[in-house]
Amino acid sequence: MKRIFIVNFKNYRGGVGSRAVKLAMLIEEIASEYEHVETMVVTEPPDVFRVSHSTKLKVISVADPVDFGRHTGAVIAEDLKDNGAYGLLINHSENKISLGAIKFLILKARTLQMKSIVCAENLNQLKKIVKLKPDIVAVEPKELIGGNVSVSTAKPSLIKRAYDVSSKYKIPLLCGAGVKNDEDVAKALKLGASGVLVASGVVKAKNKRKAITNLLNGFSLNN
Ligand code: G3P
C-alpha cells in the first residue's frame, strides 16, 4: 500500500470556500511529483463539491451519523458521496462521537463504497475502533493538535503501540498532531505509521508551497 498524506483543512480561513479550492489545487500540483504517496484532503462539507470537481484529489469530509430523513442541518454521507466525496473522517477529536455512531458511519461508508478514516485520541479508544474494521485509523493526541511539537517527537511510543494494535487487524495507521516538517513525517513512518494527517502545518503556513513540499519530502527521508 502507498504511503498516505492527508491535509485536513478544518475551518481555518485558508481552508474554506474559494481558498479551499486554491489550496487543493496547489496540493494537487505539488503532490503530482510524489506518485509514491497517496495525497488526500479533508474539507468541510460545503467545499466537497467544488474541491472534488476542481481537482483529481481524493476528498474526505465529515458526516453526521444519520440516514435520509428529517435531520435539518445534519450532513449525510450519501449527500457527500453524491457531491464527490471519496471518504469520511470519523471521530476527529474536534468532533467526537460515540462508539455506536462510529460503527454506524463505518458501516455506512462501506455500503456506499466510501473509505472510512477513524481517529482515536488514545490506545484504549483505538483498540475498540480497530474491531469495527475501518479502512484506515489515525492516532492524534488532542493536546498536541495545532502545536509545534509533533506526535512523532513527543509520543513515539504511542505510535509504536498504536501500530502494534492496528497491524493485528491489517489496518493502515496514520498519526497526526503537530506534524510540521519532513523529519516529523520520517519519524512517524519509522515508528510504523503509513502516513500522516496534517492541518495547521499546511493551512496556516505562510509559504504553503514550501510547507507541502517539505512534508512530502519526508516520505523519502528514510530511504
Ligand atoms: O486532523 C489533523 C489534525 O488534527 C492535526 O492538526 O494542526 O496539529 O496538524 P495539526
Side-chain angles (χ1 to χ4, degrees):
M1 187 174 181
K2 273 192 183 179
R3 298 303 204 183
I4 302 166
F5 177 54
I6 300 184
V7 184
N8 182 358
F9 292 7
K10 302 195 176 179
N11 329 83
Y12 287 125
R13 192 179 290 274
V16 296
S18 55
R19 291 190 174 100
V21 177
K22 209 173 144 204
L23 178 57
M25 288 170 86
L26 177 66
I27 293 171
E28 180 181 40
E29 181 207 318
I30 300 168
S32 67
E33 305 290 320
Y34 297 79
E35 279 181 355
H36 56 297
V37 183
E38 177 87 88
T39 298
M40 307 184 215
V41 294
V42 181
T43 75
E44 291 301 300
D47 297 316
V48 166
F49 184 85
R50 269 207 285 181
V51 172
S52 63
H53 286 74
S54 313
T55 70
K56 290 198 175 78
L57 288 173
K58 288 173 175 158
V59 179
I60 312 293
S61 197
V62 181
D64 292 299
V66 292
D67 289 314
F68 287 112
R70 293 188 296 173
H71 312 286
T72 305
V75 175
I76 60 170
E78 287 86 346
D79 201 2
L80 291 174
K81 162 107 179 175
D82 200 39
N83 278 282
Y86 172 76
L88 301 178
L89 183 68
I90 299 167
N91 195 44
H92 191 280
S93 63
E94 290 153 9
N95 192 350
K96 280 195 261 185
I97 54 176
S98 68
L99 195 64
I102 295 173
K103 186 174 177 185
F104 176 94
L105 285 170
I106 292 172
L107 292 176
K108 186 178 278 279
R110 204 172 290 150
T111 309
L112 294 171
Q113 292 180 309
M114 297 174 88
K115 295 286 172 202
S116 53
I117 304 171
V118 184
C119 300
E121 279 184 66
N122 53 49
L123 280 180
N124 273 345
Q125 217 180 36
L126 184 69
K127 283 178 190 160
K128 291 179 191 152
I129 289 168
V130 287
K131 291 188 183 145
L132 305 174
K133 308 220 173 82
D135 294 302
I136 298 174
V137 289
V139 65
E140 292 201 340
K142 196 175 178 180
E143 67 281 9
L144 297 173
I145 292 179
N148 283 320
V149 181
S150 81
V151 56
S152 47
T153 299
K155 300 206 166 195
S157 66
L158 172 69
I159 303 177
K160 260 194 191 162
R161 291 165 71 197
Y163 175 72
D164 289 341
V165 173
S166 66
S167 60
K168 272 191 200 130
Y169 288 79
K170 298 195 170 50
I171 302 173
L173 171 77
L174 306 181
C175 65
V179 174
K180 291 282 185 298
N181 58 43
D182 53 352
E183 287 192 1
D184 296 338
V185 175
K187 271 187 211 161
L189 300 183
K190 223 174 180 173
L191 292 162
S194 293
V196 293
L197 195 49
V198 180
S200 53
V202 169
V203 191
K204 292 179 78 183
K206 283 209 176 95
N207 187 336
K208 295 185 176 39
R209 179 178 291 276
K210 200 170 156 194
I212 298 160
T213 306
N214 183 239
L215 285 158
L216 279 164
N217 283 338
F219 285 87
S220 320
L221 271 193
N222 292 332
N223 300 336

